[in-house]
Amino acid sequence: MFENYDLFSTVIQLQPGGVAEQGDSGDERQWTLSAFHAADDRAVHSHVWERHPGGHEVLVVLSGSLRVHLRDEGLVTTVTAGRAVLVPPGRWHRLSVDEPGDLLSITPRTGTEHETAVA
């Protein structure tokens, strides 16, 4: 179908064979393309570590500024508007907000895991 979607209220599923369609972010067999308003740390669940063994996660900052933290390596990188970071497969990571803005993510859902970060 040929229509436009509000990525802040729906996700696009990237299917095998190059097919893309509107979908549900809970489908763990697929990759999702989605956007988020990152007003503060709660909006990017900064208290939760996550990892995606199914592939790289692509994080694109459309506006504002975010930090991406890699737990095991102890690395932090700041990502500003118009920049992207590739989170390696299977690496525990979390986000925090430096300046409110918008984030676009392309995420492999297969096997995604979450852990609460220790304060």
Side-chain angles (χ1 to χ4, degrees):
M1 181 163 274
F2 186 68
E3 57 186 280
N4 67 68
Y5 299 99
D6 177 2
L7 283 179
F8 293 102
S9 64
T10 189
V11 299
I12 302 296
Q13 291 285 356
L14 304 176
Q15 309 283 348
V19 175
E21 61 190 13
Q22 182 183 14
D24 176 3
S25 63
D27 186 344
E28 292 212 1
R29 298 170 296 154
Q30 311 302 330
W31 290 65
T32 57
L33 172 74
S34 52
F36 305 91
H37 294 297
D40 54 32
D41 285 347
R42 288 181 312 229
V44 293
H45 56 79
S46 68
H47 67 288
V48 175
W49 293 102
E50 69 177 7
R51 67 178 171 182
H52 311 286
H56 285 84
E57 180 174 41
V58 181
L59 300 171
V60 181
V61 175
L62 302 173
S63 63
S65 177
L66 300 174
R67 280 178 284 149
V68 180
H69 308 256
L70 292 181
R71 182 173 75 184
D72 297 335
E73 294 86 344
L75 298 174
V76 179
T77 187
T78 299
V79 188
T80 56
R83 310 247 343 143
V85 65
L86 302 176
V87 178
R91 300 282 175 69
W92 288 106
H93 63 283
R94 67 182 183 88
L95 306 178
S96 57
V97 175
D98 284 334
E99 179 184 329
D102 294 326
L103 171 68
L104 178 75
S105 69
I106 303 171
T107 307
R109 293 292 173 190
T110 303
T112 294
E113 298 176 74
H114 296 97
E115 286 185 5
T116 300
V118 177

